[in-house]
Amino acid sequence: MYRTTLLLISLLLVSGNLLAWDFPNENRVYDPDIHTVLLFKSGFEMAMPIVSLNSGEMVTLSFDDLNVSLKTYRFTIRHCTAEWETTTDLMVTDYIDGMQGEIIEQFNYSYNTTVEYIHYESTFPSYNMRPRISGNYLLIVYLDDPETPVITRRFMVVEPTTVAITAAVVRSDSPMESHSRQQVDFSVSMPGFVWSNPSMEIKIVIMQNERWDNAIRNPTPRFIRGSELDFTFDPTHSFNGGNEFRTLDIKSLRYQTENIRLIDWDGEYHVYMLDDMSRARKPYIFYQDINGRKLIENEEYAEYSAIEADYAWVHFSIPSSSMIPGGKFYLMGALADYRMAPHNEMVFNPASKRYTCSLFLKQGYYGYQYAFKPDGSTVGDVSFFEGNHWETENQYTIFVYWHQFSGLYDQLVAVRDINSKD
């Protein structure tokens, strides 16, 4: 153990500011045996992984390995800019206090499930490793070499400051978009902060439903008055309202819940969803959803769903008379890490005249939508298939970063959550 720790520290010190780590600072899984990766604020399973610096707050990491050969997983962290680029002006010791790697020691084998797996879990910060500074971080899970990740996950550390964010979600001030878009009006009060060039030193990010692909970055304040930046009455920081998320309920694999056509067994569970129809031209209907998140649960007999929830292939389908040109369809939500990747692409089948996709999911409750990504774009448009309404209930998060004129990194100085129904 002692020699392993020394080796790990040596590897990280050699890498210096981690320029050698050539992989993106995104939520990704690099091993096909790894499933159901969760990173959340401890005690709040559906909360974003955001903790206050030196507060005692923690994030919980968990995942399942379907290769049931026990392994020694480790994790480390690296600091990132507000744009999620690697912070190149810091040494590892500038942002990590303590050891520069941690072993994931807690594990349990699945129990009473048809699919065997080992469930790994850890919390952070720990006594051995803590972040020294605020900002964006990437948590990196690996086996032997931190340059070869198994899992990467974003999390944020906010420092206690006097910065205050006042915000409200309203209909877009643009007359042409008031029926379909939601505008985030907000102001940022920064007493005690002194800046010479706020457009360079202050960075703002607005996120809708934990999606990074359509986040608004660095909006221009309408005016600056003393220590306050005003971002109200500006339709340029508005989002498509979209629609309420569709729901997948597989907390039980014994009975069919809403939207499920058939549950079958052929050595593995298969859940066949009813065809999902376009809502693009349908009127808005409000219903309670979880805004694309996921909640792992076996409601049949489990005392501890983390190891007693089973897995099933879930088959999604969209009827279509022909392939739609100009882009691709994707399942969007926490069930696909809010990414548009090959494994969650809806592929057109000309024989059945359907777009289809199958995901291997753990028992639980999921919210999802379909996003259309035009060719050449990095942003998914859910309104193409789901419809677009200003009334939709959406969750927004505002991040305020501060990069001092002579500073080396982007400090995260305030975070504010707001719901469109507030």
Side-chain angles (χ1 to χ4, degrees), residues 113-132:
T113 59
T114 63
V115 175
E116 294 183 339
Y117 56 87
I118 302 177
H119 178 78
Y120 294 85
E121 190 168 313
S122 188
T123 55
F124 175 81
S126 68
Y127 176 80
N128 295 322
M129 184 171 68
R130 299 165 299 279
R132 288 184 180 273

Side-chain angles (χ1 to χ4, degrees), residues 13 198 291 306 408:
L13 287 175
N291 289 330
L408 300 177

Side-chain angles (χ1 to χ4, degrees), residues 240-259:
N240 283 333
N243 212 332
E244 306 300 343
F245 280 79
R246 301 170 190 264
T247 60
L248 165 65
D249 184 350
I250 51 172
K251 296 192 297 294
S252 172
L253 293 172
R254 295 183 179 180
Y255 62 85
Q256 296 168 214
T257 56
E258 186 179 9
N259 303 323

